[in-house]
Short mmCIF file of all heavy atoms in Angstrom, two decimals:
data_model
loop_
_atom_site.label_atom_id
_atom_site.label_comp_id
_atom_site.label_asym_id
_atom_site.label_seq_id
_atom_site.Cartn_x
_atom_site.Cartn_y
_atom_site.Cartn_z
N ARG A 374 32.94 40.38 -15.24
CA ARG A 374 33.19 39.84 -16.56
C ARG A 374 33.05 38.33 -16.49
O ARG A 374 33.58 37.69 -15.59
CB ARG A 374 34.60 40.21 -16.97
CG ARG A 374 35.05 39.61 -18.27
CD ARG A 374 36.30 40.29 -18.74
NE ARG A 374 37.47 39.62 -18.20
CZ ARG A 374 38.66 39.66 -18.78
NH1 ARG A 374 38.85 40.38 -19.86
NH2 ARG A 374 39.67 39.03 -18.26
N LEU A 375 32.29 37.78 -17.43
CA LEU A 375 32.22 36.32 -17.60
C LEU A 375 32.79 36.06 -18.98
O LEU A 375 32.12 36.31 -19.98
CB LEU A 375 30.78 35.81 -17.49
CG LEU A 375 30.23 35.78 -16.06
CD1 LEU A 375 29.54 37.08 -15.74
CD2 LEU A 375 29.28 34.62 -15.86
N ALA A 376 34.03 35.62 -19.03
CA ALA A 376 34.71 35.42 -20.31
C ALA A 376 34.89 33.93 -20.55
O ALA A 376 35.33 33.21 -19.66
CB ALA A 376 36.07 36.11 -20.29
N GLY A 377 34.55 33.49 -21.75
CA GLY A 377 34.71 32.08 -22.07
C GLY A 377 33.37 31.37 -22.16
O GLY A 377 32.40 31.78 -21.54
N GLU A 378 33.34 30.31 -22.94
CA GLU A 378 32.11 29.56 -23.13
C GLU A 378 31.81 28.68 -21.93
O GLU A 378 32.71 28.02 -21.42
CB GLU A 378 32.24 28.71 -24.39
CG GLU A 378 30.89 28.33 -24.96
CD GLU A 378 31.02 27.61 -26.30
OE1 GLU A 378 32.04 27.83 -26.98
OE2 GLU A 378 30.12 26.84 -26.63
N LYS A 379 30.55 28.69 -21.47
CA LYS A 379 30.12 27.85 -20.34
C LYS A 379 31.05 28.01 -19.14
O LYS A 379 31.42 27.05 -18.48
CB LYS A 379 30.05 26.38 -20.76
CG LYS A 379 29.06 26.13 -21.86
CD LYS A 379 28.78 24.65 -22.05
CE LYS A 379 27.65 24.45 -23.03
NZ LYS A 379 28.01 23.68 -24.20
N VAL A 380 31.42 29.28 -18.86
CA VAL A 380 32.39 29.53 -17.79
C VAL A 380 31.76 29.32 -16.40
O VAL A 380 32.45 29.02 -15.45
CB VAL A 380 33.01 30.94 -17.93
CG1 VAL A 380 32.01 32.02 -17.59
CG2 VAL A 380 34.28 31.08 -17.11
N GLY A 381 30.46 29.47 -16.29
CA GLY A 381 29.80 29.27 -15.00
C GLY A 381 28.88 30.42 -14.66
O GLY A 381 28.38 31.11 -15.54
N LYS A 382 28.65 30.62 -13.36
CA LYS A 382 27.72 31.65 -12.90
C LYS A 382 28.38 32.54 -11.88
O LYS A 382 29.22 32.09 -11.10
CB LYS A 382 26.51 31.00 -12.22
CG LYS A 382 25.62 30.24 -13.16
CD LYS A 382 24.38 29.74 -12.44
CE LYS A 382 23.48 29.06 -13.45
NZ LYS A 382 22.87 27.85 -12.93
N LEU A 383 27.96 33.79 -11.88
CA LEU A 383 28.36 34.73 -10.84
C LEU A 383 27.08 35.17 -10.14
O LEU A 383 26.13 35.58 -10.79
CB LEU A 383 29.07 35.94 -11.46
CG LEU A 383 29.45 37.06 -10.49
CD1 LEU A 383 30.45 36.57 -9.45
CD2 LEU A 383 30.05 38.24 -11.26
N ARG A 384 27.07 35.02 -8.82
CA ARG A 384 25.90 35.42 -8.04
C ARG A 384 26.33 36.35 -6.93
O ARG A 384 27.47 36.29 -6.46
CB ARG A 384 25.25 34.21 -7.38
CG ARG A 384 24.71 33.20 -8.31
CD ARG A 384 23.95 32.11 -7.52
NE ARG A 384 23.65 31.00 -8.39
CZ ARG A 384 24.41 29.90 -8.49
NH1 ARG A 384 25.50 29.78 -7.77
NH2 ARG A 384 24.07 28.94 -9.30
N VAL A 385 25.39 37.20 -6.48
CA VAL A 385 25.65 38.06 -5.34
C VAL A 385 24.55 37.82 -4.31
O VAL A 385 23.36 37.80 -4.64
CB VAL A 385 25.67 39.55 -5.75
CG1 VAL A 385 25.97 40.43 -4.55
CG2 VAL A 385 26.70 39.78 -6.85
N PHE A 386 24.99 37.61 -3.06
CA PHE A 386 24.07 37.39 -1.94
C PHE A 386 24.26 38.49 -0.91
O PHE A 386 25.38 38.95 -0.68
CB PHE A 386 24.39 36.06 -1.23
CG PHE A 386 24.11 34.84 -2.06
CD1 PHE A 386 25.07 34.35 -2.93
CD2 PHE A 386 22.90 34.18 -1.96
CE1 PHE A 386 24.84 33.21 -3.69
CE2 PHE A 386 22.65 33.04 -2.72
CZ PHE A 386 23.62 32.56 -3.58
N LEU A 387 23.17 38.89 -0.27
CA LEU A 387 23.24 39.80 0.87
C LEU A 387 23.08 38.95 2.13
O LEU A 387 22.29 38.01 2.14
CB LEU A 387 22.13 40.85 0.81
CG LEU A 387 22.19 41.78 -0.41
CD1 LEU A 387 21.04 42.77 -0.37
CD2 LEU A 387 23.51 42.53 -0.46
N ALA A 388 23.79 39.31 3.19
CA ALA A 388 23.84 38.48 4.39
C ALA A 388 22.47 38.21 5.00
O ALA A 388 22.21 37.13 5.48
CB ALA A 388 24.75 39.11 5.42
N ASN A 389 21.59 39.20 4.97
CA ASN A 389 20.31 38.99 5.64
C ASN A 389 19.28 38.30 4.73
O ASN A 389 18.16 38.07 5.13
CB ASN A 389 19.76 40.31 6.19
CG ASN A 389 19.65 41.37 5.12
OD1 ASN A 389 20.02 41.14 3.97
ND2 ASN A 389 19.15 42.52 5.48
N LYS A 390 19.66 38.00 3.49
CA LYS A 390 18.76 37.27 2.58
C LYS A 390 19.55 36.11 2.00
O LYS A 390 19.81 36.04 0.81
CB LYS A 390 18.30 38.18 1.44
CG LYS A 390 17.57 39.42 1.89
CD LYS A 390 17.09 40.21 0.69
CE LYS A 390 16.28 41.43 1.06
NZ LYS A 390 16.97 42.36 1.96
N LYS A 391 19.96 35.20 2.88
CA LYS A 391 20.92 34.17 2.48
C LYS A 391 20.41 33.22 1.41
O LYS A 391 21.17 32.65 0.66
CB LYS A 391 21.29 33.33 3.70
CG LYS A 391 22.42 33.93 4.49
CD LYS A 391 23.01 32.89 5.41
CE LYS A 391 24.25 33.38 6.11
NZ LYS A 391 24.06 34.63 6.84
N THR A 392 19.10 33.01 1.37
CA THR A 392 18.58 31.92 0.55
C THR A 392 18.70 32.16 -0.95
O THR A 392 19.21 31.33 -1.67
CB THR A 392 17.11 31.66 0.90
OG1 THR A 392 16.44 32.92 0.92
CG2 THR A 392 17.00 31.02 2.27
N ALA A 393 18.26 33.32 -1.41
CA ALA A 393 18.26 33.56 -2.85
C ALA A 393 19.25 34.67 -3.20
O ALA A 393 19.38 35.64 -2.47
CB ALA A 393 16.87 33.97 -3.30
N PRO A 394 19.93 34.52 -4.34
CA PRO A 394 20.83 35.61 -4.75
C PRO A 394 20.02 36.85 -5.12
O PRO A 394 18.92 36.74 -5.62
CB PRO A 394 21.54 35.03 -5.98
CG PRO A 394 20.72 33.89 -6.45
CD PRO A 394 19.93 33.40 -5.29
N VAL A 395 20.60 38.03 -4.87
CA VAL A 395 19.94 39.28 -5.26
C VAL A 395 20.34 39.67 -6.68
O VAL A 395 19.77 40.57 -7.26
CB VAL A 395 20.28 40.43 -4.29
CG1 VAL A 395 19.65 40.18 -2.94
CG2 VAL A 395 21.78 40.63 -4.16
N TRP A 396 21.34 38.96 -7.23
CA TRP A 396 21.84 39.26 -8.58
C TRP A 396 22.50 37.99 -9.10
O TRP A 396 23.15 37.28 -8.36
CB TRP A 396 22.84 40.40 -8.48
CG TRP A 396 23.36 40.93 -9.77
CD1 TRP A 396 22.87 41.99 -10.47
CD2 TRP A 396 24.49 40.44 -10.51
NE1 TRP A 396 23.63 42.18 -11.61
CE2 TRP A 396 24.63 41.24 -11.65
CE3 TRP A 396 25.39 39.40 -10.33
CZ2 TRP A 396 25.62 41.05 -12.60
CZ3 TRP A 396 26.38 39.19 -11.28
CH2 TRP A 396 26.49 40.02 -12.40
N GLU A 397 22.31 37.71 -10.40
CA GLU A 397 22.93 36.52 -10.98
C GLU A 397 23.16 36.73 -12.47
O GLU A 397 22.34 37.31 -13.16
CB GLU A 397 22.03 35.30 -10.77
CG GLU A 397 22.61 34.03 -11.32
CD GLU A 397 21.80 32.78 -10.93
OE1 GLU A 397 20.96 32.87 -10.01
OE2 GLU A 397 22.00 31.74 -11.55
N GLU A 398 24.31 36.25 -12.96
CA GLU A 398 24.62 36.32 -14.39
C GLU A 398 25.29 35.01 -14.76
O GLU A 398 26.13 34.51 -14.02
CB GLU A 398 25.55 37.50 -14.63
CG GLU A 398 25.78 37.85 -16.08
CD GLU A 398 24.52 38.32 -16.80
OE1 GLU A 398 23.99 39.37 -16.42
OE2 GLU A 398 24.09 37.61 -17.72
N ASN A 399 24.92 34.43 -15.91
CA ASN A 399 25.53 33.14 -16.23
C ASN A 399 26.17 33.05 -17.60
O ASN A 399 26.67 32.00 -17.95
CB ASN A 399 24.52 32.00 -16.06
CG ASN A 399 23.37 32.14 -17.01
OD1 ASN A 399 23.37 33.03 -17.86
ND2 ASN A 399 22.39 31.29 -16.89
N LYS A 400 26.18 34.16 -18.34
CA LYS A 400 27.00 34.08 -19.54
C LYS A 400 27.38 35.47 -20.00
O LYS A 400 26.63 36.42 -19.82
CB LYS A 400 26.31 33.33 -20.67
CG LYS A 400 24.98 33.89 -21.12
CD LYS A 400 24.45 33.02 -22.27
CE LYS A 400 23.06 33.38 -22.68
NZ LYS A 400 22.01 33.01 -21.74
N GLY A 401 28.56 35.56 -20.58
CA GLY A 401 28.99 36.83 -21.13
C GLY A 401 28.74 36.78 -22.63
O GLY A 401 28.95 35.76 -23.26
N LYS A 402 28.26 37.89 -23.18
CA LYS A 402 28.07 37.94 -24.63
C LYS A 402 29.43 38.03 -25.32
O LYS A 402 29.60 37.69 -26.47
CB LYS A 402 27.21 39.14 -25.01
CG LYS A 402 25.79 39.05 -24.46
CD LYS A 402 25.15 40.43 -24.43
CE LYS A 402 24.13 40.59 -23.34
NZ LYS A 402 24.59 40.12 -22.00
N ASP A 403 30.40 38.56 -24.58
CA ASP A 403 31.75 38.72 -25.10
C ASP A 403 32.66 38.80 -23.89
O ASP A 403 32.25 38.50 -22.79
CB ASP A 403 31.83 40.00 -25.96
CG ASP A 403 31.24 41.18 -25.24
OD1 ASP A 403 31.47 41.31 -24.01
OD2 ASP A 403 30.56 42.00 -25.87
N GLU A 404 33.90 39.24 -24.08
CA GLU A 404 34.82 39.27 -22.94
C GLU A 404 34.86 40.63 -22.26
O GLU A 404 35.71 40.88 -21.42
CB GLU A 404 36.22 38.88 -23.42
CG GLU A 404 36.20 37.63 -24.27
CD GLU A 404 37.26 36.61 -23.83
OE1 GLU A 404 38.33 37.03 -23.41
OE2 GLU A 404 36.97 35.40 -23.91
N LYS A 405 33.94 41.52 -22.62
CA LYS A 405 33.94 42.88 -22.08
C LYS A 405 33.51 42.92 -20.61
O LYS A 405 32.75 42.08 -20.16
CB LYS A 405 32.97 43.76 -22.87
CG LYS A 405 33.45 44.13 -24.24
CD LYS A 405 32.62 45.32 -24.75
CE LYS A 405 33.09 45.77 -26.11
NZ LYS A 405 32.40 45.08 -27.21
N TRP A 406 34.00 43.94 -19.93
CA TRP A 406 33.55 44.21 -18.55
C TRP A 406 32.19 44.90 -18.62
O TRP A 406 31.95 45.72 -19.48
CB TRP A 406 34.57 45.11 -17.85
CG TRP A 406 35.80 44.37 -17.47
CD1 TRP A 406 36.92 44.22 -18.23
CD2 TRP A 406 36.04 43.67 -16.26
NE1 TRP A 406 37.86 43.47 -17.55
CE2 TRP A 406 37.34 43.11 -16.34
CE3 TRP A 406 35.29 43.45 -15.09
CZ2 TRP A 406 37.90 42.37 -15.31
CZ3 TRP A 406 35.85 42.70 -14.07
CH2 TRP A 406 37.13 42.17 -14.18
N ARG A 407 31.32 44.55 -17.71
CA ARG A 407 30.00 45.16 -17.60
C ARG A 407 29.83 45.69 -16.17
O ARG A 407 30.61 45.36 -15.30
CB ARG A 407 28.91 44.13 -17.88
CG ARG A 407 29.06 43.42 -19.22
CD ARG A 407 27.73 43.38 -19.94
NE ARG A 407 27.73 42.79 -21.25
CZ ARG A 407 28.46 43.11 -22.29
NH1 ARG A 407 29.38 44.03 -22.21
NH2 ARG A 407 28.32 42.52 -23.45
N THR A 408 28.77 46.47 -15.97
CA THR A 408 28.52 47.03 -14.65
C THR A 408 27.28 46.38 -14.03
O THR A 408 26.24 46.29 -14.69
CB THR A 408 28.30 48.55 -14.75
OG1 THR A 408 29.48 49.12 -15.32
CG2 THR A 408 28.06 49.16 -13.39
N GLY A 409 27.42 45.95 -12.81
CA GLY A 409 26.28 45.43 -12.05
C GLY A 409 25.91 46.42 -10.97
O GLY A 409 26.77 47.12 -10.44
N LYS A 410 24.60 46.50 -10.66
CA LYS A 410 24.13 47.40 -9.60
C LYS A 410 23.13 46.65 -8.73
O LYS A 410 22.27 45.94 -9.26
CB LYS A 410 23.41 48.61 -10.19
CG LYS A 410 24.28 49.54 -10.95
CD LYS A 410 23.44 50.70 -11.46
CE LYS A 410 24.21 51.53 -12.46
NZ LYS A 410 23.35 52.51 -13.10
N ILE A 411 23.26 46.82 -7.44
CA ILE A 411 22.34 46.17 -6.51
C ILE A 411 21.88 47.18 -5.48
O ILE A 411 22.71 47.86 -4.85
CB ILE A 411 23.03 44.99 -5.79
CG1 ILE A 411 23.44 43.94 -6.80
CG2 ILE A 411 22.10 44.39 -4.73
CD1 ILE A 411 24.39 42.91 -6.25
N GLU A 412 20.56 47.30 -5.32
CA GLU A 412 20.01 48.17 -4.28
C GLU A 412 20.07 47.42 -2.95
O GLU A 412 19.66 46.26 -2.88
CB GLU A 412 18.53 48.48 -4.56
CG GLU A 412 18.28 49.20 -5.87
CD GLU A 412 18.30 50.71 -5.73
OE1 GLU A 412 18.43 51.21 -4.60
OE2 GLU A 412 18.19 51.39 -6.76
N ILE A 413 20.59 48.06 -1.94
CA ILE A 413 20.59 47.47 -0.60
C ILE A 413 19.76 48.39 0.28
O ILE A 413 20.15 49.53 0.52
CB ILE A 413 22.02 47.37 -0.03
CG1 ILE A 413 22.90 46.52 -0.94
CG2 ILE A 413 21.99 46.81 1.39
CD1 ILE A 413 24.35 46.43 -0.50
N PHE A 414 18.61 47.91 0.72
CA PHE A 414 17.82 48.72 1.64
C PHE A 414 17.98 48.16 3.04
O PHE A 414 17.75 46.98 3.28
CB PHE A 414 16.33 48.75 1.26
CG PHE A 414 15.54 49.59 2.23
CD1 PHE A 414 15.65 50.97 2.21
CD2 PHE A 414 14.74 49.00 3.20
CE1 PHE A 414 14.96 51.75 3.12
CE2 PHE A 414 14.04 49.78 4.11
CZ PHE A 414 14.15 51.16 4.07
N GLN A 415 18.44 49.02 3.95
CA GLN A 415 18.61 48.59 5.32
C GLN A 415 17.30 48.76 6.04
O GLN A 415 16.81 49.87 6.19
CB GLN A 415 19.67 49.47 6.00
CG GLN A 415 21.00 49.44 5.31
CD GLN A 415 21.72 48.14 5.53
OE1 GLN A 415 21.25 47.06 5.21
NE2 GLN A 415 22.89 48.22 6.08
N GLY A 416 16.74 47.65 6.51
CA GLY A 416 15.56 47.75 7.36
C GLY A 416 16.04 47.94 8.78
O GLY A 416 17.08 48.51 9.03
N ALA A 417 15.29 47.39 9.73
CA ALA A 417 15.71 47.46 11.13
C ALA A 417 17.00 46.64 11.30
O ALA A 417 17.89 47.00 12.04
CB ALA A 417 14.61 46.91 12.02
N GLU A 418 17.07 45.52 10.57
CA GLU A 418 18.30 44.71 10.67
C GLU A 418 19.17 45.06 9.47
O GLU A 418 18.71 45.11 8.34
CB GLU A 418 17.92 43.24 10.76
CG GLU A 418 18.24 42.38 9.58
CD GLU A 418 17.70 40.96 9.75
OE1 GLU A 418 16.57 40.78 10.24
OE2 GLU A 418 18.41 40.03 9.35
N THR A 419 20.43 45.36 9.72
CA THR A 419 21.29 45.84 8.65
C THR A 419 22.06 44.70 7.99
O THR A 419 22.34 43.68 8.60
CB THR A 419 22.30 46.87 9.17
OG1 THR A 419 23.08 46.27 10.20
CG2 THR A 419 21.61 48.10 9.71
N THR A 420 22.36 44.90 6.73
CA THR A 420 23.16 43.95 5.97
C THR A 420 24.60 44.11 6.43
O THR A 420 25.14 45.20 6.38
CB THR A 420 23.08 44.30 4.47
OG1 THR A 420 21.73 44.24 4.08
CG2 THR A 420 23.89 43.32 3.64
#
């Protein structure tokens, strides 16, 4: 949930891909809870 005006950003990072977030949201349309989903594929090196 991102509640409030200009509240900021929420990002999700995976350990083996440190540089760029795999998910990001920067504003809520309202104060409701939403669901985020992220696919994690384990290659030879695991997250």
Side-chain angles (χ1 to χ4, degrees):
R374 175 167 89 155
L375 285 91
E378 202 173 335
K379 299 193 172 120
V380 71
K382 291 185 177 140
L383 176 63
R384 297 186 191 95
V385 181
F386 293 87
L387 298 179
N389 55 357
K390 301 183 177 56
K391 274 197 174 55
T392 48
V395 292
W396 186 94
E397 181 172 346
E398 190 65 64
N399 63 5
K400 59 179 173 288
K402 295 160 210 48
D403 49 40
E404 312 229 324
K405 287 197 178 90
W406 286 90
R407 305 226 178 304
T408 301
K410 292 181 191 171
I411 297 167
E412 299 270 356
I413 301 176
F414 180 73
Q415 302 287 58
E418 110 185 41
T419 58
T420 301

